[in-house]
Amino acid sequence: MEYVRVLLLLALIPVSTSLDNGLLRTPPMGWMAWERFRCDIDCNNDPENCISEKLFRDMADRLSEDGWRELGYEYVMIDDCWMSMQRGSDGRLQPDPARFPGGIANLAKYIHNRGLKLGIYADMGSATCMGYPGTTLDKVEIDAKTFASWGVDYLKFDGCNSNVIEQLIGYPLMSKALNATGRPIAYSCSWPAYIGGLPPKVNYYLLGDICNVWRNFDDIQDSWDSMQSIFNWFSIHQDDLQPAAGPGRWNDPDMLIIGNFGLSVEQARTQMALWAIMAAPLIMSNDLRSLSNDARAILQNRAAIAINQDPRGIQGRRLLQEKSRIEVYWRPLSHLANALVFLSRRQDMPYLYHSSLAKLNFTAGSYEAYDVFSGKTTTGLTATTEFKVSINPSGVVMWYVYPAKQSPKDTGRYPYTRRKHRLSSFGKIIKPSYAVL
């Protein structure tokens, strides 16, 4: 009966709750604290890693000074455990005064002065997941106004300690309240993840008019098994999920764990490739102060970022699951370009995979393919040309495929990537004027 009641209420939500902020026309990029730093609040014994003003200033410094911002990584996101255990006398949320002595508004100013944006966390419920003050229905409006007054640019709205009726009312209500502040605030809601992530319980047609980004499935953990479970789920249910995504409205398979402890280099490339194919948010959760060169190269790969940020905003799909345990993923990009990912689920040795573009539903024509991680270009491809790629265990080969008839002097070697990423061709930087937006 409760489920029927939810469906009836869903049908009655007025159109006036629609999100109208014009934000996140491509998937958001940035850094978030949670997966790497969790709820470490012991600043006496662990001052470098606790959830504090210092941690977020440090990460803002790294994003602005180490080349991340120029690649599109612009959000610095606070997650759970930033609050005091009690609201203020005025009913407003407040940061823990010992760990955030300057307050959130001053932190936002610090971040904005570095050309970045601030994200913050709240929870639709009586308490956050870690037991801090939640946002009950009567507090939605005041919390939205508080975040706007602090200069917040992005809200992640979780759903612990709430029921389906409160979520049904509260998530659209927060969307409307954020709009009413007059400040553009991107809105990420965890609503689908709390009700199973799939139709008919989740109405993705409606959801895209309420939230810019939404979590669909389980939290990612720092392991290959966790990452596999997520992209398995997204692939199995892609017919329901893929049509929901587009400019301003994105499925979120959760954070990038590249640079932590649970993935090999091959597996890290796999996450970057599949998140790019899925048009997923590229939100890192790692320690940017001590990142390895391998992790940095993967996360700063301009071609992978450009594929992720393609302005068409079409989420990709899994095309094939071979008996050899090779899988093929595909995403259509702007101006007849495409991205392909060849993934090995094998655990034994590199596998030599044979195929052709025709077998992957490409039409007749001449093509070139740029290997995103090796930087090599394959020329002379027709749809029927048999090619072979060597894929390492739990690794990927990722191709950016484009029509060979396009003239480099008119469009650049890799013409359909966004100008800000400026892919190099044989060591030369493509001039921004050559790229098609």
Side-chain angles (χ1 to χ4, degrees):
M1 288 300 296
E2 184 178 30
Y3 174 55
V4 172
R5 185 182 175 199
V6 168
L7 289 178
L8 290 172
L9 286 170
L10 197 60
L12 296 175
I13 293 178
V15 176
S16 62
T17 62
S18 294
L19 190 63
D20 185 24
N21 58 19
L23 300 175
L24 304 192
R25 306 306 294 172
T26 59
M29 298 175 62
W31 179 91
M32 179 176 280
W34 179 256
E35 206 294 318
R36 174 62 180 81
F37 296 96
R38 303 290 172 145
C39 194
D40 180 354
I41 59 173
D42 186 2
C43 292
N44 291 328
N45 293 308
D46 195 14
E48 293 299 311
N49 299 307
C50 66
I51 302 302
S52 67
E53 184 177 302
K54 180 185 183 307
L55 179 67
F56 297 102
R57 285 175 178 252
D58 283 353
M59 296 306 163
D61 290 345
R62 298 282 57 79
L63 288 178
S64 65
E65 296 173 19
D66 295 348
W68 301 99
R69 180 186 60 205
E70 289 74 17
L71 292 169
Y73 291 98
E74 61 178 347
Y75 286 99
V76 179
M77 305 222 192
I78 304 171
D79 210 276
D80 205 346
C81 307
W82 63 270
M83 305 171 193
S84 293
M85 292 304 296
Q86 302 292 332
R87 288 177 177 263
S89 58
D90 57 359
R92 294 177 181 267
L93 294 172
Q94 53 186 352
D96 182 280
R99 293 182 286 116
F100 293 85
I104 302 300
N106 281 337
L107 178 59
K109 193 173 299 182
Y110 184 93
I111 288 169
H112 293 158
N113 286 341
R114 278 145 187 79
L116 302 167
K117 298 176 181 179
L118 175 66
I120 206 164
Y121 171 98
D123 186 282
M124 176 67 251
S126 59
T128 73
C129 298
M130 299 306 295
Y132 290 83
T135 301
T136 50
L137 295 176
D138 61 314
K139 298 295 186 185
V140 167
E141 185 176 350
I142 193 171
D143 287 356
K145 290 179 178 178
T146 298
F147 299 145
S149 71
W150 287 343
V152 166
D153 305 291
Y154 188 114
L155 172 64
K156 175 184 173 181
F157 205 33
D158 212 337
C160 284
N161 302 300
S162 61
N163 61 45
V164 291
I165 302 301
E166 291 168 331
Q167 293 161 12
L168 179 69
I169 298 169
Y171 280 110
L173 194 61
M174 178 58 82
S175 180
K176 186 175 182 180
L178 291 172
N179 276 343
T181 68
R183 180 175 180 80
I185 300 176
Y187 183 34
S188 171
C189 61
S190 299
W191 190 5
Y194 284 93
I195 52 176
L198 296 170
K201 291 185 177 181
V202 180
N203 184 333
Y204 280 109
Y205 177 80
L206 175 66
L207 191 64
D209 290 333
I210 296 172
C211 312
N212 294 118
V213 183
W214 47 81
R215 285 288 312 285
N216 314 69
F217 189 57
D218 295 344
D219 287 357
I220 197 167
Q221 308 299 324
D222 189 15
S223 76
W224 173 240
D225 286 345
S226 174
M227 196 179 87
Q228 285 193 99
S229 73
I230 289 171
F231 66 74
N232 283 345
W233 187 85
F234 272 80
S235 297
I236 291 167
H237 301 294
Q238 61 188 13
D239 288 345
D240 292 316
L241 303 174
Q242 189 264 353
R249 45 197 294 165
W250 309 104
N251 293 300
D252 183 4
D254 212 2
M255 295 163 274
L256 295 170
I257 55 174
I258 299 164
N260 292 328
F261 313 103
L263 301 183
S264 69
V265 172
E266 294 294 337
Q267 292 162 355
R269 290 194 186 104
T270 295
Q271 186 180 30
M272 191 69 178
L274 292 182
W275 264 234
I277 286 287
M278 291 191 289
L282 297 183
I283 306 296
M284 304 177 288
S285 189
N286 51 25
D287 192 341
L288 296 174
R289 301 166 298 190
S290 58
L291 208 60
S292 71
N293 289 335
D294 284 335
R296 186 184 306 275
I298 293 165
L299 290 163
Q300 293 191 347
N301 185 291
R302 292 172 182 267
I305 292 170
I307 289 167
N308 174 267
Q309 296 285 294
D310 184 78
R312 285 184 76 186
I314 299 174
Q315 182 172 319
R317 302 173 60 86
R318 183 168 65 190
L319 287 182
L320 294 172
Q321 288 179 286
E322 305 278 20
K323 291 180 180 179
S324 59
R325 294 186 58 76
I326 301 300
E327 298 178 1
V328 182
Y329 295 77
W330 163 77
R331 181 180 175 187
L333 304 172
S334 300
H335 303 280
L336 305 180
N338 296 268
L340 289 171
V341 169
F342 306 95
L343 165 66
S344 174
R345 297 290 194 114
R346 302 174 69 93
Q347 299 179 2
D348 51 358
M349 60 184 292
Y351 185 84
L352 200 59
Y353 180 67
H354 296 252
S355 189
S356 69
L357 294 178
K359 291 178 182 177
L360 303 178
N361 300 326
F362 280 65
T363 57
S366 298
Y367 297 90
E368 294 184 358
Y370 175 76
D371 189 310
V372 167
F373 293 114
S374 76
K376 298 178 180 178
T377 300
T378 299
T379 60
L381 287 173
T382 67
T384 57
T385 302
E386 183 174 281
F387 62 79
K388 55 189 177 183
V389 290
S390 180
I391 316 163
N392 292 334
S394 68
V396 293
V397 170
M398 186 177 196
W399 278 7
Y400 173 78
V401 184
Y402 53 95
K405 65 182 180 181
Q406 297 292 342
S407 169
K409 72 177 183 179
D410 295 329
T411 60
R413 170 67 70 174
Y414 311 111
Y416 312 122
T417 58
R418 296 185 69 192
R419 177 162 49 200
K420 67 181 180 180
H421 302 297
R422 298 191 305 174
L423 296 183
S424 63
S425 172
F426 305 106
K428 297 180 181 180
I429 298 297
I430 299 299
K431 294 181 180 180
S433 59
Y434 289 170
V436 178
L437 289 176

